[in-house]
């Protein structure tokens, strides 16, 4: 039944899964002896990357990294993410904690979110940080795609917990997926059939994450779930009104798709569509104002471009220092493709820019 389940996602998803599995057999790339250990943080598996000690250095900075893959694919242990985290640990001389959260179809929302939150909170405990010789004032939470979604949601929750003694200094989100409210933003319209992540595949990822029915896909695609007659959605509309949040270069000549009459029952069937833990872009301004300094990387050839751009704009309006790092010639997922035979210049370019920002700000 799982085979049938995934075949229905389209050949794009199958190809992506094949690439991840195939490249998992490639040799790891690193020029230094990075220590890699697997551990369990509050019931959640993690992989920890530790660079060698240098001179009389006592404490290192650190990054908690949450991998992408539509909440359903990839792993902290695959070569693609193993290589990324090794390079990060080496380049930043930082301890990198890669979270191995459970995946669809084994679990669905909110379990992935809970896994990421538990692992991060465990690591932020002073005694755990001391064990790994990490400076409590120099920690970032980061992730790409669905991992960027989880990283943003985790940072929002951490900002609400008053008893925490250690909080992230930064969050760094790489082409994050942040909303399921509007599947007709300019980037969704522009990149509807873009390889790696077509709009239909992203919608199926959301349905799977919420353990929903594929019969809802078309209704989501035309925004019937957030029509003007869907009362529960009305209060959120201004929080992701792309006509006021995106620059003209992103909006181009695209027009909003807002249904007058839709299907309110969709939100009843999938209440997580309006759950801020799943959809961080729906957070209120007070929550956004508590977020740490933020980096958001977006790519022009990506349905999720506008998710990241809208989040960056809302954070900036809330008073958070934000860097929006936009790449005009890059595509969704490119950062992890830096090893032969997929050593794309787009991957190296985005990865270097991301690591440079972390190096300068962490």
């Amino acid at each position: 039944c799982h085979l049938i389940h995934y075949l229905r996602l389209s050949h794009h998803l199958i190809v992506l899964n094949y690439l991840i599995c195939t490249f998992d057999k490639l040799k790891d790339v690193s020029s230094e002896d990075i220590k890699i250990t697997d551990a369990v943080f509050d019931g959640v598996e993690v992989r920890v990357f530790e660079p060698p000690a240098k001179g009389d250095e006592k404490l290192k900075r650190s990054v908690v990294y949450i991998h992408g893959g539509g909440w359903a694919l990839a792993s902290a242990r695959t070569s693609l993410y193993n290589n990324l985290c090794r390079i990060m640990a080496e380049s930043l001389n930082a301890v990198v904690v890669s979270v191995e959260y459970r995946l669809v179809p084994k679990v669905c929302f909110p379990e992935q979110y809970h896994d990421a939150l538990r692992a991060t909170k465990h690591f932020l405990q002073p005694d755990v940080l001391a064990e790994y010789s990490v400076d409590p004032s120099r920690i970032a939470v980061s992730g790409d795609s669905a991992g960027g979604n989880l990283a943003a949601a985790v940072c929002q929750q951490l900002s609400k917990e008053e008893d925490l003694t250690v909080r992230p200094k930064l969050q760094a989100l790489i082409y994050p997926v942040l909303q399921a409210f509007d599947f007709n933003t300019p980037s969704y319209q522009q990149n509807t059939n873009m390889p790696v992540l077509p709009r239909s595949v992203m919608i199926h990822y959301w349905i799977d994450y919420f353990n929903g029915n594929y019969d809802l896909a078309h209704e989501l695609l035309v925004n019937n779930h957030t029509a003007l007659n869907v009362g529960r959605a009305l209060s959120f509309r201004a929080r992701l009104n792309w006509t006021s949040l995106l620059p003209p270069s992103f909006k181009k000549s695209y027009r909003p798709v807002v249904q007058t009459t839709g299907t309110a029952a969709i939100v009843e069937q999938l209440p997580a569509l309006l759950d801020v833990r799943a959809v961080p872009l729906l957070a209120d301004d007070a929550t956004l104002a508590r977020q740490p300094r933020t980096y958001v990387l977006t790519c022009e050839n990506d349905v999720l471009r506008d998710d990241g751009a809208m989040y960056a704009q809302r954070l900036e309006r809330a008073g958070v220092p934000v860097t929006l790092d936009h790449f005009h010639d890059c595509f969704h997922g490119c950062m992890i493709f830096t090893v032969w035979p997929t050593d794309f210049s787009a991957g190296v370019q985005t990865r270097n820019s991301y690591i440079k920002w972390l190096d300068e700000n962490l």
Side-chain angles (χ1 to χ4, degrees):
C1 64
H2 289 166
L3 177 61
I4 296 173
H5 172 87
Y6 281 109
L7 284 174
R8 294 182 64 184
L9 288 182
S10 86
H11 72 283
H12 296 279
L13 184 54
I14 296 169
V15 169
L16 183 58
N17 195 21
Y18 171 78
L19 287 173
I20 291 173
C21 293
T22 300
F23 298 148
D24 187 35
K25 299 177 176 62
L26 298 176
K27 184 178 180 181
D28 291 327
V29 176
S30 181
S31 60
E32 281 204 33
D33 185 23
I34 302 296
K35 178 184 176 183
I36 301 176
T37 55
D38 291 324
V40 177
F41 287 1
D42 192 17
V44 181
E45 296 180 8
V46 299
R47 174 160 284 193
V48 183
F49 300 77
E50 298 176 80
K54 293 185 177 180
D56 59 353
E57 172 189 66
K58 293 182 179 179
L59 297 177
K60 287 181 165 56
R61 49 192 175 177
S62 182
V63 180
V64 175
Y65 195 85
I66 309 172
H67 72 78
W71 308 283
L73 301 173
S75 162
R77 297 185 176 95
T78 61
S79 287
L80 295 173
Y81 284 105
N82 211 58
N83 285 334
L84 174 61
C85 290
R86 286 180 68 128
I87 290 169
M88 287 168 59
E90 174 189 312
S91 301
L92 297 169
N93 189 34
V95 175
V96 177
V97 175
S98 188
V99 182
E100 184 78 332
Y101 59 92
R102 292 167 296 165
L103 303 174
V104 169
K106 182 178 179 181
V107 298
C108 299
F109 176 81
E111 296 310 315
Q112 286 86 344
Y113 162 77
H114 286 318
D115 284 358
L117 180 62
R118 287 203 312 272
T120 304
K121 287 182 66 176
H122 178 87
F123 182 63
L124 292 179
Q125 295 179 101
D127 59 331
V128 178
L129 296 176
E131 178 184 347
Y132 289 99
S133 299
V134 168
D135 184 340
S137 66
R138 304 179 74 191
I139 300 168
V141 175
S142 183
D144 64 298
S145 193
N149 168 284
L150 295 170
V154 165
C155 280
Q156 287 185 8
Q157 180 57 36
L158 293 177
S159 73
K160 299 175 183 178
E161 300 197 5
E162 297 179 358
D163 59 341
L164 287 181
T165 58
V166 178
R167 298 181 185 277
K169 179 182 181 182
L170 309 172
Q171 67 173 338
L173 313 176
I174 299 127
Y175 32 74
V177 49
L178 298 170
Q179 60 90 23
F181 192 96
D182 184 355
F183 290 107
N184 289 275
T185 61
S187 61
Y188 265 114
Q189 294 187 53
Q190 173 183 302
N191 300 296
T192 295
N193 295 310
M194 187 62 63
V196 179
L197 190 63
R199 176 168 60 174
S200 60
V201 171
M202 191 62 245
I203 290 174
H204 280 106
Y205 275 140
W206 276 114
I207 291 173
D208 282 342
Y209 189 35
F210 295 154
N211 196 26
N213 192 311
Y214 289 150
D215 292 342
L216 298 175
H218 179 72
E219 302 232 43
L220 294 173
L221 187 149
V222 298
N223 288 345
N224 273 349
H225 61 304
T226 53
L228 295 178
N229 70 321
V230 180
R232 291 182 58 190
L234 283 177
S235 63
F236 294 108
R237 186 167 299 281
R239 298 181 186 179
L240 40 72
N241 176 10
W242 60 258
T243 63
S244 67
L245 291 171
L246 296 179
S249 60
F250 282 21
K251 289 189 285 188
K252 300 182 174 68
S253 59
Y254 293 106
R255 296 185 176 182
V257 175
V258 182
Q259 306 295 349
T260 303
T261 304
T263 310
I266 299 175
V267 178
E268 300 301 324
Q269 293 180 52
L270 301 177
L273 284 166
L274 301 178
D275 189 324
V276 71
R277 299 173 301 169
V279 191
L281 192 52
L282 295 184
D284 58 37
D285 291 342
T287 298
L288 295 186
R290 293 192 294 264
Q291 299 314 297
R293 180 181 293 270
T294 299
Y295 171 91
V296 181
L297 187 151
T298 56
C299 297
E300 183 67 21
N301 304 308
D302 182 6
V303 293
L304 301 180
R305 179 199 68 191
D306 296 345
D307 285 25
M310 286 190 287
Y311 198 54
Q313 181 60 239
R314 287 200 63 208
L315 286 168
E316 192 170 78
R317 289 181 181 180
V320 177
V322 178
T323 298
L324 178 60
D325 199 7
H326 182 62
F327 291 84
H328 294 280
D329 299 322
C330 295
F331 57 93
H332 186 80
C334 61
M335 185 181 289
I336 60 174
F337 296 113
T338 59
V339 180
W340 186 90
T342 58
D343 47 341
F344 301 139
S345 61
V348 175
Q349 182 184 5
T350 51
R351 187 190 68 197
N352 289 349
S353 189
Y354 160 71
I355 290 177
K356 181 175 184 289
W357 184 88
L358 285 173
D359 191 36
E360 292 174 349
N361 291 276
L362 188 59

